[in-house]
Amino acid sequence: RRLQRELGVASDAAAAARWLAIPRGPDRPPLSLQVLPAGQTNLRGAAVMVLVADREQQLDARAGALAELGLTPTEVRVALLIAEGHGVPHAARVLGVSVNTVRTHLAHVLGKTGLRRQAELARLLARLGQV
């Protein structure tokens, strides 16, 4: 229903782009939809474009690319959490390990990727998500 409503709004060529999060279940991230006017067509009036981003697929792609760099599964999980903007204490809670263990894994991640800072890791993973 929300998507139908947003499609109606976006059918106005002057409308701004709109974002929707479509839930998929308790253990899966939502789909992100961007609904925007795509201009007028000669056939039926206004056209609407819907762009879909699946964060789960992006995470899978990033995890695969990191594994190819030689990271262990735990190092991959640490890298993804840190790159999403979570701090070391949060990553430790999520993984059920100590802060020192996360710091050790993070040091391994940075060493194996040739990076020095968490911000560089975030940029690397952002680029991997665009591939």
Side-chain angles (χ1 to χ4, degrees), residues 57-120:
Q57 284 186 344
Q58 291 172 338
L59 289 174
D60 289 347
R62 291 174 183 164
L66 288 171
E68 288 180 17
L69 292 174
L71 275 64
T72 67
T74 303
E75 291 167 351
V76 168
R77 291 183 69 200
V78 167
L80 293 174
L81 286 167
I82 297 299
E84 287 178 357
H86 300 291
V88 169
H90 175 80
R93 282 191 304 277
V94 168
L95 298 173
V97 298
S98 73
V99 168
N100 286 335
T101 299
V102 172
R103 286 188 180 128
T104 298
H105 287 300
L106 181 56
H108 293 164
V109 168
L110 296 176
K112 288 179 180 180
T113 57
L115 303 173
R116 293 183 186 186
R117 300 178 5 179
Q118 293 178 22
E120 293 172 336

Side-chain angles (χ1 to χ4, degrees), residues 1-7 20 22:
R1 290 182 188 154
R2 289 185 326 173
L3 179 57
Q4 286 177 333
R5 183 174 57 245
E6 296 301 332
L7 290 171
L20 293 171
I22 306 297

